Amino acid sequence: MGNEKKERGFTMLLSDKEAERLYIKASLAGMTIGQLMESFAQDLICGSQTNGSDERDLANMWYDRCVFCVPSGFLHYTLSHEGESGVRGLVERWENLKEAEKRLAGGLEEFWDQEDMDAEAEGVRQGRLELEEDYRRYEDREGRKGPGLEEEIRDLTRWLGDLEALLDNGGPS
C-alpha cells in the first residue's frame, strides 16, 4: 500500500445543530470540517502528520474510553493479534484450500497421477486442520463458540473487500 494521499469521503450522521457546532469549531481553528477530522484522525492513527505525542496519547485515550462495546468475533481477534496481514493470510489460506478442494472434486483427470492427487488431498486435509486449529484457539481464548470457521472467513473476506474499496475509491466509511 502506497503512502500517497488520496481524497476519501466518509459519512457522518449529525443533526443540523451538531453539524453547525462542528462547522463553528472547525472555523474557529481556521479549518474546514474535513481538515479538522483529518487532523484528529492523524493523531488517532499515529499518522504522518500528527500534532504531537500528547495529542496522539489523548486521541488514543479518547478512543479507548469511548469504544464502549469492544467488538468480538474472529475479525476483531485476528486484527488485534495479527493485524491486517493476519486477516489477509487467513483468507488466502482459505481460498487456496477451496481451490484445491475443487481440483480434487474434478477427479484424477485434474492431476498427473493418483500419487499427485493423494498428495493434494493430504495437503487439503492438513490445511483444513490448521485453519480449524486457528479457529479453535480463538474460541478457547474468547471462552465461547463462534458461528463457525466458514462464516467467519466470509466476514474476513467481506472486510478485506471493504478495505480494498476504501483504498481504491474512498468507500465505504
Side-chain angles (χ1 to χ4, degrees):
M1 291 179 219
N3 287 331
E4 72 280 352
K5 294 196 178 206
K6 295 190 233 175
E7 187 171 305
R8 304 180 196 284
F10 298 96
T11 302
M12 295 174 63
L13 298 175
L14 300 171
S15 70
D16 288 345
K17 192 64 177 166
E18 292 163 338
E20 179 183 344
R21 288 195 308 250
L22 183 57
Y23 180 70
I24 290 168
K25 282 279 190 193
S27 296
L28 286 170
M31 304 169 102
T32 65
I33 291 173
Q35 290 168 329
L36 179 65
M37 294 294 99
E38 181 182 334
S39 180
F40 178 74
Q42 287 285 334
D43 289 328
L44 182 63
I45 62 168
C46 299
S48 61
Q49 296 176 321
T50 71
N51 295 296
S53 60
D54 288 346
E55 288 73 14
R56 287 191 305 270
D57 290 344
L58 290 168
N60 279 283
M61 285 188 333
W62 170 87
Y63 179 84
D64 291 342
R65 288 185 63 170
C66 292
V67 180
F68 302 114
C69 180
V70 176
S72 62
F74 198 45
L75 172 63
H76 178 264
Y77 173 82
T78 305
L79 280 173
S80 61
H81 288 89
E82 300 176 42
E84 174 260 342
S85 64
V87 174
R88 283 189 189 282
L90 282 168
V91 169
E92 184 177 312
R93 287 168 52 202
W94 180 260
E95 288 171 351
N96 290 340
L97 181 70
K98 289 302 185 183
E99 286 176 24
E101 287 174 345
K102 282 182 188 173
R103 279 194 307 277
L104 286 169
L108 193 54
E109 64 234 24
E110 297 289 323
F111 299 91
W112 288 101
D113 56 23
Q114 185 65 47
E115 187 178 324
D116 187 33
M117 185 173 163
D118 291 345
E120 181 88 352
E122 178 57 23
V124 164
R125 187 187 73 73
Q126 196 61 35
R128 183 167 282 283
L129 283 174
E130 290 171 7
L131 281 168
E132 288 171 354
E133 180 58 31
D134 288 344
Y135 189 68
R136 268 194 300 283
R137 264 194 303 280
Y138 148 72
E139 287 181 325
D140 290 347
R141 188 169 182 135
E142 293 293 308
R144 64 181 177 81
K145 282 289 218 191
L149 178 60
E150 196 155 336
E151 187 174 327
E152 296 280 16
I153 293 289
R154 273 195 299 272
D155 288 345
L156 298 182
T157 303
R158 190 175 315 114
W159 182 84
L160 276 178
D162 289 348
L163 175 61
E164 293 302 324
L166 172 67
L167 297 177
D168 290 345
N169 59 23
S173 60

